[in-house]
Amino acid sequence: SFKKAEEQFMLAIKNGDTDGYSQLARLYMKQKQTEKAVSTFEQGVEQNDPESAHQLGHILNRQGKFEKSDEMFAKAIELGDDSVVGCWVESIYNSKRIDKMHFVIELLEKHKPESENMRFDLLYAKILLWNDNLLEAMDIIKKQTNSIRDIYNSDDSEEKYSHKVLSELVEFFLLLIAKKEYDTALDMFSDSNDFDFKTMLKPIYYLLMNELKEDFPMEYLKAGKELTETINDLKEEVEYLRKK
């Protein structure tokens, strides 16, 4: 019941629970009441709720209001939510804001977690590659090979985390191809590699073979019809990355 849920979140806010603002605003978002959601998030920010600032950052970014989006992500961090860093960096990368390429490097380095964090490392590698720091980016990927293998072979209990990690890896390889770092990509797909990326990232491997069909005229034809649509989608993403 939307009405009852709304009443309970409003009661939480009345009782001084600042989490109520972001929860109520999420409820409005589910109901596609964007204006009410934004207004509620803004009230949450006024009450120093970091989650409200975090979510408002995402909304403003999707609306193309990048300066205001940056302010909200920065506000969330100021209010103690360091988990926002990854979202902020991803929002800048996905919007292809090349004026912020160096800023996101500095942001990641400033907020690097103390303990091992594979998702952070893969994101950092992608941003390093975006900044044309290929060698350091590849060092990170190669150091994470064993962990990537474990994630790939993990059970369903880790499915959501595995999906996010592998998605980050896919984005890295697409950027590698978009930058035409073909030799490096070929090395990663080599049979002599410690891990069989060719099997794990089969559509990306055949996308690479399509890019290099003059050198490997028969290999890309082995993809099969079942991968054609996926490969075409990836090819469009690579073209988008090149344009940006």
Side-chain angles (χ1 to χ4, degrees), residues 113-164:
E114 294 181 4
S115 57
E116 183 74 16
N117 187 314
M118 183 162 55
R119 281 190 64 194
F120 178 92
D121 286 348
L122 293 179
L123 173 60
Y124 186 37
K126 182 177 70 178
I127 298 302
L128 284 169
L129 180 59
W130 192 31
N131 279 268
D132 295 321
N133 193 337
L134 175 63
L135 293 179
E136 192 173 348
M138 289 308 302
D139 281 345
I140 292 173
I141 296 297
K142 289 177 179 179
K143 286 176 182 176
Q144 289 291 346
T145 299
N146 289 335
S147 297
I148 291 168
R149 179 175 54 225
D150 292 341
I151 284 288
Y152 181 62
N153 295 323
S154 64
D155 57 30
D156 291 340
S157 65
E158 297 291 335
E159 185 177 358
K160 186 175 180 181
Y161 180 75
S162 300
H163 175 74
K164 289 181 178 179

Side-chain angles (χ1 to χ4, degrees), residues 3 24 49 77 82 111 142 151 175 228 236:
K3 184 174 176 57
L24 177 60
D49 174 38
I77 293 172
D82 283 343
H111 294 276
K142 289 177 179 179
I151 284 288
L175 184 58
T228 300
E236 287 182 9

Side-chain angles (χ1 to χ4, degrees), residues 150-188:
D150 292 341
I151 284 288
Y152 181 62
N153 295 323
S154 64
D155 57 30
D156 291 340
S157 65
E158 297 291 335
E159 185 177 358
K160 186 175 180 181
Y161 180 75
S162 300
H163 175 74
K164 289 181 178 179
V165 167
L166 296 177
S167 293
E168 199 67 63
L169 188 65
V170 166
E171 288 189 17
F172 180 87
F173 271 88
L174 290 178
L175 184 58
L176 202 62
I177 294 172
K179 286 179 170 288
K180 299 186 178 181
E181 297 288 354
Y182 297 136
D183 288 342
T184 302
L186 282 170
D187 179 62
M188 294 300 291

Side-chain angles (χ1 to χ4, degrees), residues 25-39:
R26 284 173 182 270
L27 192 65
Y28 290 141
M29 289 297 291
K30 288 181 180 179
Q31 298 293 317
K32 301 191 185 305
Q33 299 183 51
T34 306
E35 290 186 9
K36 288 183 75 172
V38 169
S39 176

Side-chain angles (χ1 to χ4, degrees), residues 56-74 88 90-100 103 240 244:
L56 199 51
H58 282 294
I59 293 172
L60 291 166
N61 180 73
R62 289 195 294 270
Q63 293 175 345
K65 299 175 181 177
F66 299 133
E67 188 174 338
K68 291 183 178 180
S69 172
D70 290 343
E71 289 177 4
M72 286 299 101
F73 282 125
W88 191 2
E90 289 282 17
S91 73
I92 290 172
Y93 175 78
N94 291 333
S95 301
K96 299 300 175 278
R97 297 164 59 192
I98 58 174
D99 60 314
K100 293 289 185 179
F103 169 76
Y240 171 75
K244 293 293 182 179

Side-chain angles (χ1 to χ4, degrees), residues 9-10 12-13 17-26 40 49 52:
F9 287 133
M10 285 182 169
I13 291 170
D17 187 348
T18 56
D19 287 341
Y21 290 102
S22 61
Q23 298 300 330
L24 177 60
R26 284 173 182 270
T40 304
D49 174 38
S52 290

